[in-house]
Amino acid sequence: KAGVTQTPRYLIKTRGQQVTLSCSPISGHRSVSWYQQTPGQGLQFLFEYFSETQRNKGNFPGRFSGRQFSNSRSEMNVSTLELGDSALYLCASSFSDEQYFGPGTRLTVT
Amino acid sequence: GQQLNQSPQSMFIQEGEDVSMNCTSSSIFNTWLWYKQEPGEGPVLLIALYKAGELTSNGRLTAQFGITRKDSFLNISASIPSDVGIYFCAGNNAGGTSYGKLTFGQGTILTVHP
């Protein structure tokens, strides 16, 4: 089975811009979770989608949003980028309690 | 919010030595997971634990789910250079307000000297 894929792998944006990141889960997995990883805060949960519905959300501002499509692929969007949004954004897919991560998208905001 | 305390923060060991790291939580988890992350990659699942007291092995790796459900440890025996990376523990309480949410420890950076 193919693993979790994320595109793009690297992204450079300017403050105030918006960005969309994409995640394709492992075939058959309907749950997709998103995390932000930074050196200072570690791995922080953003939100989780299952069958196109957001079931859970972490403590991030409304500038962070996401969606899931009928084929379980998911996107997350960050609007009005800030320097502090520079991070590795990871998505994980799961069928049960085990989550399998993609390689991440490295976002740099300048 | 919920925090996992993972220790040690870093370890510098010689090839062939055994390694032990652990995680403790202020609240219980139904599942404990251990991941390894290498530079430029996402975390890779090493071991999943589902029952209090459970001891599970994966090659040279052994992990245990604490009987209080508030802690877990990971042991690596006979370390080799490719064990280098950051090891994370994660707790999961699937369902309810915890859907899809893993709570992570701060990570243990492992360096192995040949």
Side-chain angles (χ1 to χ4, degrees):
Chain A
K1 260 186 185 176
V4 178
T5 58
Q6 291 187 246
T7 57
R9 291 292 309 273
Y10 303 92
L11 208 48
I12 301 175
K13 290 286 189 178
T14 304
R15 270 183 305 175
Q17 288 185 314
Q18 73 159 14
V19 66
T20 299
L21 313 181
S22 180
C23 172
S24 292
I26 293 170
S27 177
H29 287 190
R30 294 165 65 188
S31 170
V32 174
S33 298
W34 288 88
Y35 296 84
Q36 181 194 65
Q37 185 176 28
T38 60
Q41 298 298 316
L43 283 143
Q44 300 286 315
F45 172 75
L46 281 157
F47 30 65
E48 185 257 6
Y49 286 86
F50 181 87
S51 292
E52 302 179 66
T53 300
Q54 185 184 88
R55 293 195 300 185
N56 201 1
K57 190 176 189 310
N59 295 324
F60 280 82
R63 301 184 297 106
F64 291 82
S65 63
R67 60 177 176 169
Q68 188 181 35
F69 302 94
S70 59
N71 62 357
S72 294
R73 189 177 69 86
S74 178
E75 291 181 346
M76 67 164 282
N77 183 276
V78 188
S79 62
T80 319
L81 284 165
E82 301 176 359
L83 294 179
D85 297 333
S86 294
L88 181 66
Y89 289 89
L90 294 158
C91 82
S93 78
S94 65
F95 178 76
S96 60
D97 294 342
E98 299 173 13
Q99 292 191 10
Y100 297 89
F101 284 84
T105 295
R106 171 72 64 185
L107 173 64
T108 302
V109 182
T110 62
Chain B
Q2 210 170 30
Q3 293 281 336
L4 291 185
N5 294 312
Q6 185 172 348
S7 64
Q9 284 189 307
S10 61
M11 302 184 74
F12 299 84
I13 63 170
Q14 293 290 329
E15 183 176 359
E17 290 184 358
D18 296 344
V19 171
S20 183
M21 58 193 79
N22 68 83
C23 267
T24 59
S25 170
S26 57
S27 48
I28 63 175
F29 286 105
N30 294 325
T31 304
W32 281 92
L33 305 169
W34 285 91
Y35 290 87
K36 177 188 178 186
Q37 186 175 26
E38 298 185 34
E41 299 297 329
V44 174
L45 182 62
L46 299 173
I47 291 181
L49 301 157
Y50 293 99
K51 286 175 59 175
E54 178 184 358
L55 187 70
T56 297
S57 294
N58 178 8
R60 293 179 296 105
L61 278 59
T62 301
Q64 184 158 30
F65 191 146
I67 57 173
T68 65
R69 294 166 65 192
K70 292 184 179 182
D71 63 317
S72 177
F73 73 75
L74 175 71
N75 285 344
I76 305 173
S77 64
S79 59
I80 58 178
S82 62
D83 290 334
V84 166
I86 306 176
Y87 291 79
F88 291 97
C89 61
N92 190 356
N93 282 326
T97 58
S98 298
Y99 279 122
K101 176 182 177 181
L102 293 181
T103 301
F104 282 88
Q106 305 96 319
T108 295
I109 301 171
L110 179 63
T111 303
V112 180
H113 295 288

